[in-house]
Amino acid sequence: MLDQGVQPNVVTFNVIIDELCKKGRIDKANVVLEMMVQRSVNPSTITYNLLLDGFCLVGRIDDAKKLFVSMTSKGCKPNDYSYNILIKGYCKNGSMDEAMSLYKELVAKAIRPTIVTYNTLLAGLLQVSKVGDAQNLFDEMKVNKVVPNSRTYVILIDGLCKNGYHSEALEIFYNLENCKFKVNIEIVSCLVDGLCKAKRIETAWELFEKLPHYHLLPNVVTYSIMINGLCKVGQLEKASDILLDMDKNGVFSDVVTCNTLMHGFLKNKDMPKVIELLHEMAQRNVMPDASTFCIVVELLSKDEKYLENLNLLPSFAVKDPTRQLHDECK
């Protein structure tokens, strides 16, 4: 371009900076910014946003903050996206005081927070167990007439469950029913997971069985969560029935689902069931992973007649040069 007398404009520089930032070459991108200024090409808000995102992606939040201040001092006005980038960087770093300070600054400057702003802050607050602050922010969000979306409720329910507030998570979910919010499978799966981990299996099972009421079908993740919960409390027969239910509904079990169920059988010392499930995996062309291999090793080590069990194992036709599971065990 330069050889032919074509001068790069702000769009040209933004394209280069964007690509460098995506590749993690943030220092080189910063050099391009200096080059822009030297060539009297004024960086835009988009230019600075690209660099802010680049610094945050590589964890250089302090440099991102300096750039943010520099951007303002040079007369380039930050927008909601600029604030969201920096807020996300602080949240990722666990620096919630700084993130909330930016949020207050954003509001003070009459820049309207978006659903992205609130979702980012809610996730950050719940990650550092500031449940009360998260609940207050959620209320403030509604006062500011920012409508929560499905992602908001996944963040809230997941965060509340992880912090031991299972009753509050259930209350939020039932409120969604009352206000006729269309729940999705991710929201329900998240709540079922939290309840299973808290060993509130009966409540989780009731919710799982009510999926048709919400016009929802469980996916492989939902099934795996419920199987895992049932296995942990020793309800292996019920967990096995879920695997059959998956087949009926056309949901193909993956290696995670099978491993989860096998762990349950192994814990219950039901070796034939482990072998049976391995054969089902082979028939369904579900490829074993490292966890499957560990299960097989444990299976063989628990029985003095390990050679008999070894001969009962199936073979898996794999494209990888790795040998078949049967041969590996030998």
Side-chain angles (χ1 to χ4, degrees), residues 22-309:
K22 284 176 180 174
K23 299 288 184 185
R25 300 176 65 185
I26 187 64
D27 290 322
K28 187 70 175 174
N30 222 21
V31 170
V32 175
L33 176 66
E34 292 170 7
M35 191 188 299
M36 287 181 74
V37 177
Q38 289 168 5
R39 292 179 174 273
S40 300
V41 178
N42 292 325
S44 64
T45 303
I46 293 172
T47 313
Y48 283 107
N49 286 348
L50 290 169
L51 285 158
L52 284 171
D53 200 32
F55 276 122
C56 289
L57 281 171
V58 295
R60 289 168 60 176
I61 190 69
D62 290 337
D63 289 329
K65 180 62 176 176
K66 287 176 188 174
L67 182 67
F68 185 82
V69 173
S70 168
M71 168 187 182
T72 308
S73 65
K74 289 176 182 176
C76 198
K77 197 174 179 181
N79 56 18
D80 63 305
Y81 192 63
S82 315
Y83 278 98
N84 286 344
I85 292 168
L86 205 51
I87 286 171
K88 184 179 179 182
Y90 277 124
C91 288
K92 190 178 178 182
N93 204 35
S95 306
M96 291 313 301
D97 289 340
E98 289 84 351
M100 289 303 294
S101 177
L102 273 173
Y103 165 69
K104 290 171 185 175
E105 182 184 315
L106 179 150
V107 173
K109 289 186 176 181
I111 300 173
R112 183 176 169 81
T114 65
I115 187 65
V116 174
T117 315
Y118 285 110
N119 284 352
T120 304
L121 286 166
L122 286 169
L125 288 167
L126 290 165
Q127 190 175 349
V128 295
S129 300
K130 292 190 174 184
V131 176
D133 290 342
Q135 289 171 325
N136 291 337
L137 185 66
F138 182 62
D139 292 337
E140 190 175 326
M141 172 184 177
K142 290 185 285 185
V143 169
N144 289 336
K145 296 181 180 178
V146 178
V147 180
N149 59 15
S150 295
R151 182 64 190 152
T152 314
Y153 289 113
V154 167
I155 289 166
L156 270 175
I157 289 170
D158 182 58
L160 288 169
C161 287
K162 283 179 177 174
N163 284 285
Y165 291 77
H166 301 94
S167 296
E168 288 80 359
L170 276 166
E171 186 181 345
I172 285 175
F173 180 78
Y174 291 131
N175 283 339
L176 289 180
E177 280 192 277
N178 295 334
C179 67
K180 296 182 179 179
F181 182 92
K182 190 176 180 180
V183 297
N184 61 22
I185 193 64
E186 191 179 1
I187 293 172
V188 182
S189 297
C190 190
L191 184 53
V192 170
D193 186 45
L195 292 168
C196 284
K197 284 175 179 172
K199 294 185 178 178
R200 294 179 63 172
I201 299 298
E202 286 184 14
T203 310
W205 181 252
E206 285 173 14
L207 194 58
F208 180 79
E209 285 198 307
K210 278 185 74 178
L211 283 173
H213 170 74
Y214 304 116
H215 306 289
L216 293 173
L217 285 173
N219 56 25
V220 66
V221 174
T222 321
Y223 278 119
S224 297
I225 288 168
M226 199 66 247
I227 287 172
N228 188 40
L230 290 167
C231 285
K232 284 187 175 178
V233 294
Q235 295 187 30
L236 296 173
E237 190 174 337
K238 213 169 187 178
S240 297
D241 289 342
I242 289 181
L243 195 65
L244 295 173
D245 192 51
M246 289 178 73
D247 289 337
K248 289 176 185 175
N249 289 330
V251 180
F252 297 103
S253 54
D254 59 12
V255 66
V256 176
T257 315
C258 294
N259 286 347
T260 301
L261 194 50
M262 277 192 285
H263 271 297
F265 288 138
L266 195 62
K267 190 178 177 182
N268 203 45
K269 297 180 181 178
D270 193 341
M271 309 310 178
K273 280 286 186 182
V274 177
I275 294 168
E276 182 184 325
L277 192 49
L278 281 166
H279 278 279
E280 284 185 31
M281 283 178 65
Q283 288 170 6
R284 297 176 188 183
N285 202 28
V286 177
M287 291 297 104
D289 61 7
S291 181
T292 318
F293 183 70
C294 290
I295 291 167
V296 172
V297 170
E298 192 175 348
L299 166 73
L300 297 174
S301 64
K302 282 179 180 276
D303 197 331
E304 291 180 0
K305 299 177 181 179
Y306 71 91
L307 282 175
E308 290 181 19
N309 285 332

Side-chain angles (χ1 to χ4, degrees), residues 1 7-19 32 36 41-47 50:
M1 287 175 67
Q7 292 301 317
N9 59 17
V10 65
V11 176
T12 315
F13 280 111
N14 284 352
V15 170
I16 296 168
I17 287 171
D18 182 39
E19 190 61 27
V32 175
M36 287 181 74
V41 178
N42 292 325
S44 64
T45 303
I46 293 172
T47 313
L50 290 169

